[in-house]
Amino acid sequence: MSKLLLKGGRLIDPERRKEEIGDLLIVDGKIEQVGGSISPSDASVIDISGLIVAPGFIDMHVHLRQPGQEHKETIATGTTAAMRGGFTTVLAMANTSPPIDSPRIMREVVEIIRRDALVNVLQMGTITVGMRGKRNVDFEAMIEAGAAGFSEDGKSVMNSRLMLEALRASSEMEFLISDHCEDGNLSKGGLVNEGEVARRLGVRGISHLAEEVILARDLMLAEETKGRLHVAHVSTKRSVEMIREAKARGINVTAEVTPHHLTLTQKAVLEMGADAKMNPPLRDRGDVEALIEGLRDGTIDAIATDHAPHTPQEKSLSLEEAPFGVIGLETCFPVLYTELVLKGKLDLMDLIAALTINPARILGLERKGRLKKGADGELVLLDLNREMVIDPENFASKGRNTPFAGMKVKGVPMMVIIGDEIHTLLFPLSVVSMANCPPSTAQPSLERLTFQRSTF
C-alpha cells in the first residue's frame, strides 16, 4: 500500500467551489481524505505550504501529430509538454496522417498511447472516412476500438446530411462530437481575421460568418437529434450569443475557448507574424470581451489549448505559406492567471473549474477533475507567486510556435501527481514513485526534493 500526504496546501475543489488550507492524503493512487489535519502512519509526507493544490488539468483539444507527423510532435513529447503545463488528461484530435478513421488505426494509436504517454490520453476518431466528407465512419466499431468521441477538427463536415447522421448516432450511442465550425467556402484563401489587420497586410481575411454559419446549422441539427455537440475553439461574439441562446432552449451543447482567443486580438499578427496565425483567427477586442463574459457566465464551459505544434522551419515561412496553429500546453495556466485572474477579469475558481471539473463532466470522467474521497489521485501543485519569462527553447514540446514568447507571467505549475508517481516540473522533468519517497514528517520543501529517476 502506498500513501502520500500533502501537508498545508491551499486546496481548491472546483466541484464544490470550496477552498481551504489543509492536508490531502492519497492511498494507492486514490484520494482518501481532503482537508483538515491528517496524520496517517507510514505515509510519505511533502510540505507544500504556500502552494495551490488543484485537480490535474484536463485539455479537451490537443494535436499530438502521431501517427505520421512525428517531426512536429509525438505522443511522448506532447504528453511531456502537457505534464509541464499541469495537465494530467488530454483529448487528442484525429487529423493525423493517416487520419484516425478505422478501428485498426485506432487500436494502433491506443497501443502507442499505452506505451509512450506520460499522462492520460483520450483519442478521438474522425467523423468521416479519410476526413473526405463523403461517408461517415463506423461509429460503433470505432468506439469498441477505443475512440473517446469524434471530430473532423481542422475543418467542418460540410455535408449537412452526414452531420445530421453523426449527431443522430451521437444521441443513440451517447458519444461526443467536437465541432470545428468553419464554412470552407467562406474562409477559403483567408489568412487572418477579416478586418483592419488583413487590409493593412494586403491579404484575404476570414469572416466571422465562416464560423457562425456552420455553428447555426449544427445547433439546429443538435436540437433536432438530441446529439451531444461540443463546439471547439469559439472565437466570435455572435457565436457566444448563439450558444447562450441554444443552452437556454435546452440544446445539448457545450463549448470551449482557447487561451489565445481569450487574451489576444488580431493586432498580434502585426507583431508576431505566423506565430499568431491560427484557425479560427484572432478576432477583435469586442470578441475577446464576449468570450471572457461567456466563460464567466457559464455559456462557455471549458478552456482548451488547441495545442497545434509545427516545426520552426514551417512557422518561419511567410504569413501566406506558414501553417495555421499555435502551441499552448506549457503556457496555458500562467498566461491565463496573469492576463485574466490578476487583472480582475476572471476568478481563480472559475479558471480552475474551466480546466478541471467542467471538461471532466463533458467527457464523463467521474473520478477526475475533483478533490474528494475516491477520486483519482491526479493533482497539480501551483505556485501563484513564482514568476517566469516564457522561453520556447525550454519547451518539452517539439513545437516553438507560441504567440506568448518573451511574456513575463506568474502562476507556475510546480508538481504533478498521477497515481503512484510524483513529477517535479522544474527543469529537467523528473519523477519518483511514492514507494521511493521516504516517509518523513519533516519532508523538505518542494524545490529541495530529490528525485531518483529522470524521465528523459
Side-chain angles (χ1 to χ4, degrees):
M1 176 180 291
S2 63
K3 295 181 181 180
L4 176 65
L5 179 61
L6 304 179
K7 292 289 291 183
R10 182 178 164 193
L11 310 176
I12 293 185
D13 179 0
E15 183 178 35
R16 295 180 296 163
R17 298 188 67 84
K18 181 180 179 181
E19 179 179 333
E20 63 177 310
I21 304 295
D23 303 344
L24 185 145
L25 177 65
I26 298 174
V27 177
D28 289 339
K30 302 290 183 183
I31 296 177
E32 177 65 25
Q33 191 172 343
V34 180
S37 180
I38 306 172
S39 300
S41 60
D42 301 323
S44 301
V45 182
I46 303 177
D47 180 2
I48 56 166
S49 302
L51 297 179
I52 294 283
V53 181
F57 298 153
I58 300 169
D59 192 339
M60 292 192 62
H61 193 142
V62 303
H63 297 269
L64 298 181
R65 303 302 193 200
Q66 195 171 3
Q69 296 177 316
E70 288 85 354
H71 60 293
K72 298 187 179 189
E73 193 78 286
T74 65
I75 288 167
T77 61
T79 57
T80 305
M83 184 174 289
R84 285 259 182 90
F87 292 92
T88 55
T89 300
V90 298
L91 181 66
M93 296 297 109
N95 57 337
T96 51
S97 182
I100 303 173
D101 64 351
S102 71
R104 177 187 63 81
I105 298 175
M106 178 62 69
R107 285 191 291 268
E108 290 174 356
V109 174
V110 168
E111 185 56 38
I112 297 171
I113 290 168
R114 287 174 180 157
R115 184 190 70 207
D116 294 347
L118 289 187
V119 303
N120 305 301
V121 178
L122 306 176
Q123 181 60 61
M124 297 290 264
T126 64
I127 297 173
T128 69
V129 176
M131 293 184 67
R132 292 188 289 269
K134 302 296 184 183
R135 177 168 58 90
N136 284 341
V137 300
D138 184 335
F139 296 118
E140 185 173 7
M142 290 286 283
I143 290 171
E144 290 177 356
F150 299 89
S151 178
E152 209 87 334
D153 193 69
K155 60 181 179 179
S156 287
V157 177
M158 291 300 297
N159 186 312
S160 298
R161 178 182 59 80
L162 291 179
M163 193 63 177
L164 176 68
E165 291 175 356
L167 281 164
R168 185 172 288 133
S170 164
S171 175
E172 294 170 355
M173 289 183 257
E174 299 185 341
F175 61 73
L176 186 73
I177 288 182
S178 180
D179 194 15
H180 176 116
C181 296
E182 179 187 359
D183 187 322
N185 298 309
L186 290 174
S187 65
K188 187 176 181 180
L191 303 178
V192 298
N193 184 54
E194 186 177 84
E196 174 192 352
V197 171
R199 290 191 294 270
R200 288 179 62 177
L201 294 174
V203 300
R204 181 172 295 182
I206 300 175
S207 170
H208 57 93
L209 291 171
E211 177 175 313
E212 295 156 3
V213 165
I214 295 298
L215 175 58
R217 180 201 71 172
D218 291 349
L219 288 172
M220 287 190 287
L221 296 179
E223 185 171 32
E224 176 70 20
T225 61
K226 313 300 182 188
R228 294 186 60 210
L229 184 70
H230 178 75
V231 185
H233 43 53
V234 177
S235 74
T236 78
K237 179 180 179 180
R238 187 181 293 179
S239 290
V240 176
E241 293 169 350
M242 286 193 289
I243 294 166
R244 186 178 288 118
E245 293 166 1
K247 286 189 170 187
R249 294 209 310 271
I251 297 176
N252 191 3
V253 60
T254 54
E256 70 187 39
V257 63
T258 71
H260 42 276
H261 287 113
L262 285 168
T263 58
L264 300 172
T265 71
Q266 60 181 331
K267 292 182 179 179
V269 180
L270 298 174
E271 178 183 351
M272 303 168 195
D275 279 339
K277 178 185 178 183
M278 69 282 292
N279 188 21
L282 298 173
R283 304 289 189 180
D284 290 323
R285 175 56 56 189
D287 296 301
V288 173
E289 292 172 355
L291 293 170
I292 295 172
E293 179 58 31
L295 194 58
R296 278 199 301 256
D297 70 17
T299 299
I300 298 175
D301 304 88
I303 293 169
T305 66
D306 194 6
H307 178 81
H310 296 290
T311 67
Q313 292 77 17
E314 289 171 309
K315 275 296 191 175
S316 68
L317 297 172
S318 67
L319 189 64
E320 292 81 3
E321 297 175 301
F324 291 98
V326 299
I327 57 177
L329 283 168
E330 295 171 78
T331 59
C332 177
F333 183 83
V335 166
L336 294 177
Y337 179 72
T338 301
E339 290 296 303
L340 299 186
V341 177
L342 291 182
K343 294 183 179 181
K345 298 177 181 179
L346 190 70
D347 290 339
L348 177 61
M349 183 68 74
D350 289 334
L351 173 57
I352 291 178
L355 290 167
T356 56
I357 185 62
N358 293 354
R361 285 170 172 158
I362 294 169
L363 295 171
L365 305 176
E366 295 181 357
R367 294 193 303 272
K368 301 187 188 299
R370 299 158 168 88
L371 290 189
K372 69 177 183 181
K373 181 180 173 63
D376 289 341
E378 298 177 358
L379 308 172
V380 59
L381 277 61
L382 305 161
D383 186 343
L384 299 185
N385 295 315
R386 178 176 282 266
E387 293 184 341
M388 71 175 185
V389 175
I390 294 174
D391 181 359
E393 294 307 310
N394 286 331
F395 287 166
S397 171
K398 288 188 176 184
R400 300 291 181 266
N401 47 308
T402 173
F404 302 114
M407 180 179 177
K408 187 175 182 180
V409 293
K410 294 185 72 172
V412 179
M414 298 293 292
M415 176 182 280
V416 161
I417 296 170
I418 301 179
D420 63 353
E421 290 189 336
I422 308 164
H423 301 258
T424 177
L425 305 182
L426 302 175
F427 300 109
L429 183 68
S430 302
V431 59
V432 64
S433 69
M434 285 189 201
N436 294 331
C437 187
S440 171
T441 57
Q443 187 78 357
S445 66
L446 180 63
E447 290 184 320
R448 293 173 53 208
L449 283 173
T450 300
F451 296 87
Q452 284 76 33
R453 178 163 59 88
S454 177
T455 304
F456 287 101

